[in-house]
Amino acid sequence: KEKLLWNVKKEVKQIMEEAVTRKFVHEDSSHVIALCGVVEACLLHLLKRRAAGFLRTDKMAALFTKVGKTYDVAGDICKKVQDLLQQVDGRRPQPIGQESLKRQSSATNKAPSLTPQAIKHIWVRTALIERVLDKIVQYLVDNCSKYYEKEALLADPVCGPILACLLVGPCALEYTKLKTADHFWTDPSADELVQRHRIHGAHSRQDSPSKRPALGIRKRHSSGNSSEDRFAASARDYVESLHQNSRTHLLYGKNNVLVQPKDDMEAIPGYLSLHQSADSLTLKWTPNQLMNGTLGDSELEKSIYWDYAVVVPFSQIVCIHCHQQSERGG
C-alpha cells in the first residue's frame, strides 16, 4: 500500500511541475497517462470479486459502472466514456460502400482521436480530465466496505483519504486538446533544470565577472594544497545537495528561517530544507552567509558559520521538546 501511494505522490508531483513550467497540461501528456496508471493500480488493489460483476475482463469498467448506479458523478463519466468508445469504434475502417463512406467521413472527422495508452486508461483519464476523479475516489473511500477487502488501500483509514486528497491538485488543472509542435514533449525534471541552471551560471560568471554570483559556493582555483581543495569541493557539494537532485528529493524549502545557534548571540537567518533519500529523511538548516557566496575564499575555510549549520537525520530523533515563551508569542 505504501508503495502504491508513493507512486501516486511521485506522479502528482510530476504533473504539477508540468502545469507550472508549461502553464498548461496536454491531455496526451506522458504525465497524465502515468498518473492514470498508478491511480488505476490503487483502485484495483484488493477489489472485491463481486464488485467486478460480469465485466471481469475490464475491472475498471465494471467498477465505474457499478459506482455509477448509486453516484451520479460516476454515472456521468460512464456515459461520456461510452460515447468516446462508440466514436473511436466509428473511426475504425470497415468494408463499406462508397455512399456510406461519404456519410461516415464527416462524422469521423469530428470524432476524437485517442492514443492506445489513452484508451487503455480511458476511465480514470476521463474522470481526471473532467476534474471529478478526486470525488469518485473519495466516494469509494467512504463506501470502501462495499467494494474492497479489509486490507485494501482504499479501505485503509489513513491511506485511503490521503489518496483522495492527493488527486485534488491534478483535478483542479485545466487540460487542453490544443495540438502544438511539441505537445508530446515533456519538460525536463527539476533535477535537470537545476543542472542546466548551474551550467548556465558557470558560463555567466566567466563571461561577466561583475554579475552577482549565482546561488552556491563560489568556485575557487586549486591552491596546490590538497586538503584545501577537498574542503572547497565538500563545501560546494554540500550547498548543491540542498537543491533537488538525483540522489534526494527536496520535500520542503524555506528561506530566512531564524535560528539562534548560541544563547549569547542573536538569531541569524538561514535556509531550512527537508530532504528524502531512498532510506532516510533529513532536516537541514544552512546560514545565509554560506548560501549566497558572500564570504571570501580565505574566510570560507575558517568560517564559524559551518559550525552553525544543522544536519538532523530523522532516524536519530527520539523525541522533540517544544518550549513556549508567552512574552514573545512563540
Side-chain angles (χ1 to χ4, degrees):
K1 290 188 290 188
E2 290 76 11
K3 180 64 175 178
L4 289 172
L5 200 60
W6 169 253
N7 290 336
V8 174
K9 291 179 181 178
K10 183 177 71 172
E11 297 304 333
V12 167
K13 180 181 178 183
Q14 294 287 345
I15 200 170
M16 298 305 289
E17 282 184 0
E18 180 176 352
V20 171
T21 55
R22 302 190 68 188
K23 308 304 180 186
F24 69 92
V25 179
H26 196 276
E27 291 182 357
D28 291 329
S29 169
S30 60
H31 293 152
V32 172
I33 300 300
L35 178 61
C36 292
V38 295
V39 171
E40 189 171 310
C42 294
L43 295 180
L44 295 178
H45 182 248
L46 294 181
L47 181 68
K48 287 184 177 180
R49 288 189 176 183
R50 66 172 180 267
F54 62 91
L55 293 174
R56 293 189 178 179
T57 56
D58 190 350
K59 293 183 179 180
M60 288 307 303
L63 178 62
F64 272 79
T65 302
K66 191 164 187 176
V67 174
K69 294 179 180 179
T70 56
Y71 188 43
D72 293 338
V73 174
D76 294 338
I77 295 298
C78 291
K79 295 177 183 177
K80 292 179 180 179
V81 170
Q82 291 170 1
D83 292 341
L84 286 172
L85 292 175
Q86 290 178 358
Q87 293 174 1
V88 170
D89 291 337
R91 293 177 61 92
R92 295 175 181 173
Q94 298 178 356
I96 53 179
Q98 189 171 4
E99 287 296 325
S100 299
L101 184 62
K102 290 180 179 179
R103 289 196 304 268
Q104 191 181 16
S105 61
S106 60
T108 55
N109 289 334
K110 298 178 181 179
S113 59
L114 298 177
T115 63
Q117 289 296 322
I119 296 176
K120 180 181 178 181
H121 304 290
I122 190 169
W123 292 92
V124 175
R125 178 180 178 272
T126 303
L128 175 64
I129 293 173
E130 295 295 329
R131 301 191 291 180
V132 295
L133 180 59
D134 58 329
K135 298 178 181 178
I136 295 176
V137 172
Q138 185 62 56
Y139 177 85
L140 289 171
V141 170
D142 295 338
N143 300 272
C144 58
S145 60
K146 182 178 179 181
Y147 301 99
Y148 292 94
E149 304 291 346
K150 292 182 179 180
E151 300 299 323
L153 186 148
L154 270 73
D156 190 288
V158 175
C159 295
I162 289 177
L163 176 62
C165 292
L166 284 172
L167 298 175
V168 172
C171 288
L173 301 176
E174 291 286 349
Y175 298 91
T176 178
K177 298 179 181 179
L178 180 64
K179 300 267 185 179
T180 60
D182 63 342
H183 76 280
F184 284 110
W185 178 82
T186 301
D187 273 317
S189 62
D191 183 26
E192 185 176 345
L193 290 173
V194 170
Q195 291 177 353
R196 291 182 182 182
H197 174 72
R198 292 175 189 159
I199 295 173
H200 175 72
H203 289 302
S204 299
R205 288 195 296 274
Q206 292 173 2
D207 298 338
S208 304
S210 61
K211 287 186 177 181
R212 181 179 178 180
L215 179 66
I217 298 297
R218 290 184 296 179
K219 196 171 182 179
R220 54 189 278 181
H221 297 289
S222 176
S223 60
N225 189 322
S226 59
S227 62
E228 291 183 1
D229 293 340
R230 284 196 299 269
F231 177 84
S234 62
R236 186 166 56 252
D237 291 341
Y238 176 81
V239 174
E240 289 182 352
S241 72
L242 301 176
H243 298 282
Q244 180 89 355
N245 57 69
S246 58
R247 296 182 298 275
T248 60
H249 294 283
L250 177 61
L251 301 180
Y252 177 81
K254 183 173 178 57
N255 294 317
N256 298 321
V257 176
L258 295 177
V259 169
Q260 186 179 12
K262 296 182 179 180
D263 293 336
D264 57 348
M265 65 179 298
E266 295 183 357
I268 58 176
Y271 178 66
L272 180 70
S273 55
L274 182 63
H275 306 264
Q276 184 173 35
S277 62
D279 55 355
S280 65
L281 189 65
T282 306
L283 182 70
K284 297 183 179 181
W285 179 83
T286 307
N288 285 348
Q289 289 81 354
L290 301 179
M291 294 292 297
N292 55 26
T294 56
L295 293 173
D297 291 339
S298 59
E299 297 176 275
L300 178 61
E301 184 174 352
K302 302 176 182 178
S303 172
I304 196 172
Y305 289 104
W306 282 112
D307 296 333
Y308 299 156
V310 178
V311 179
V312 183
F314 271 58
S315 59
Q316 298 180 5
I317 297 177
V318 178
C319 61
I320 299 177
H321 295 276
C322 299
H323 303 272
Q324 185 175 9
Q325 295 178 334
S326 56
E327 65 274 9
R328 295 187 180 182

